[in-house]
Amino acid sequence: MDKYLIQPETCVNLDDFTTYYDGEIKKKDGKARLKEHNKTLRDLQELLYAEGKRKVLVILQGIDTSGKDSTIEHVFGDVNPQGTKVVNFKVPSKKELAHDYLWRVHQHTPGSGEIVIFNRSHYEDVLVVRVHDLVPESVWGKRYEHINAFEKLLADEGTTIMKFFLNVSKKEQAERFLARLDRPQKRWKFNPDDLEERKHWDHYKAAYEDMLSRTSTPWAPWYVIPCDRKWYRNLVIASIIEDTIKNLEMQYPAEVENIDSYRDRLETMIAEG
Ligand code: AMP
Ligand code: MG
């Protein structure tokens, strides 16, 4: 899965990255493998929660329809909601805008034993903010350095960070918008503004390329995931998250001593009714 990892200081050109997987894994097998990853992730999350030491932060970025919501559902669908949290970052409120852009983010970073998933993140502050000139370049241009330092702080204090850029093609995006219109249960997701946003495709592409080139670090790496096939997207992301959490080599807390004496006492209590 390392082929999707962006090495630090790489100059990323998204034209070099395929959005469509046409390798050897078949959809049916891919889906079966995802189920295995789901089970393993559930066990790993339980261990992480029980151990109560490590913190894990997963960041998802990508244009509309790239599948951020659906990834969360399919990759984390089996984990225990206790100890897991999803945070959606929307247009900032007046209060949030009155602070620096990392203020609202830091409050949601994971505590010990927690996995937090960011659906959008502080990266919006070098993406939508840049594309729409919400602040001048003299302001957003400094943010890459802030972000690297912020993520280093989190990592130094015990947070494992994984960042996924969900890469879909322009054609696939149009097809997914159309699918939203065609399915009554999906229509609520369609927002005419999204078509306006699509007009800025090239500008977003440049902003994503700079984000990937400048903020993939040893302590908070970016992965660029081919997302035109949803099942493959889920499989790759689940597999990277599983490998990364496994590498933490977590341990269940030490057992209480004299387990047998407690067993005896409990058996007596049960016998006595
Ligand atoms: P959605 O994720 O589709 O519900 O949309 C959330 C919207 O909030 C997107 O259009 C984002 O671009 C926007 N958004 C998130 N963070 C920011 C930010 N820091 N500044 C401006 N817009 C933002
Ligand atoms: Mg949207």
Side-chain angles (χ1 to χ4, degrees):
M1 293 300 168
D2 269 3
K3 64 181 170 202
Y4 300 120
L5 173 72
I6 304 299
Q7 296 297 341
E9 323 256 324
T10 309
C11 184
V12 173
N13 178 348
L14 283 173
D15 294 332
D16 300 337
F17 290 78
T18 177
T19 55
Y20 190 84
Y21 172 76
D22 60 0
E24 284 173 6
I25 309 172
K26 298 285 165 264
K27 181 173 177 177
K28 190 165 153 271
D29 299 331
K31 287 190 156 191
R33 278 163 66 171
L34 177 65
K35 283 211 168 86
E36 292 304 310
H37 287 304
N38 289 146
K39 279 190 218 144
T40 312
L41 256 180
R42 184 187 59 202
D43 294 346
L44 286 168
Q45 187 269 337
E46 195 171 295
L47 175 55
L48 186 115
Y49 185 74
E51 188 197 50
K53 289 187 182 162
R54 331 285 166 135
K55 322 177 219 293
V56 174
L57 177 61
V58 173
I59 296 179
L60 300 176
Q61 283 291 160
I63 50 142
D64 286 311
T65 74
S66 60
K68 300 180 292 295
D69 298 340
S70 164
T71 299
I72 295 169
E73 179 187 343
H74 289 96
V75 172
F76 290 98
D78 278 4
V79 301
N80 187 340
Q82 186 140 271
T84 313
K85 189 171 75 175
V86 178
V87 186
N88 291 281
F89 289 96
K90 305 278 182 182
V91 177
S93 67
K94 212 171 156 199
K95 185 172 177 188
E96 287 168 344
L97 281 175
H99 294 78
D100 70 83
Y101 67 100
L102 291 173
W103 179 79
R104 68 168 180 166
V105 178
H106 205 166
Q107 318 177 33
H108 294 291
T109 55
S112 301
E114 271 184 350
I115 298 180
V116 173
I117 303 136
F118 281 180
N119 184 345
R120 303 186 189 268
S121 65
H122 42 291
Y123 285 100
E124 293 293 325
D125 293 283
V126 289
L127 294 167
V128 63
V129 166
R130 166 174 168 172
V131 170
H132 289 282
D133 270 328
L134 300 181
V135 300
E137 180 169 357
S138 58
V139 174
W140 62 253
K142 292 182 181 152
R143 292 183 171 172
Y144 302 96
E145 251 183 78
H146 303 156
I147 289 173
N148 288 338
F150 171 62
E151 291 176 350
K152 181 81 166 65
L153 157 80
L154 298 178
D156 285 349
E157 295 283 324
T159 305
T160 300
I161 305 171
M162 288 163 264
K163 305 184 293 201
F164 297 97
F165 170 59
L166 277 46
N167 194 17
V168 284
S169 66
K170 200 172 178 187
K171 180 163 176 275
E172 179 69 18
Q173 189 197 42
E175 283 170 8
R176 289 187 185 179
F177 280 141
L178 191 61
R180 283 182 182 178
L181 294 183
D182 286 346
R183 292 172 59 192
Q185 292 99 325
K186 292 280 172 196
R187 259 175 223 159
W188 67 274
K189 278 200 150 192
F190 183 75
N191 176 350
D193 291 346
D194 293 345
L195 294 188
E196 290 304 305
E197 219 44 15
R198 184 174 155 87
K199 292 185 186 156
H200 301 286
W201 185 275
D202 289 342
H203 201 164
Y204 268 109
K205 180 166 171 270
Y208 278 117
E209 286 172 343
D210 271 354
M211 171 192 88
L212 295 164
S213 305
R214 299 179 65 179
T215 62
S216 199
T217 54
W219 57 89
W222 275 110
Y223 297 88
V224 175
I225 310 296
C227 288
D228 284 0
R229 303 186 79 183
K230 298 169 183 171
W231 66 268
Y232 187 71
R233 170 201 72 203
N234 297 336
L235 179 64
V236 175
I237 294 179
S239 149
I240 293 170
I241 294 175
E242 179 183 314
D243 284 353
T244 307
I245 299 183
K246 266 189 186 153
N247 277 339
L248 297 178
E249 296 181 354
M250 300 172 294
Q251 307 274 332
Y252 276 102
E255 291 179 359
V256 287
E257 285 174 20
N258 300 327
I259 289 229
D260 285 340
S261 75
Y262 291 111
R263 184 176 291 117
D264 291 347
R265 277 168 62 185
L266 282 163
E267 281 170 1
T268 312
M269 285 179 206
I270 292 166
E272 287 172 358

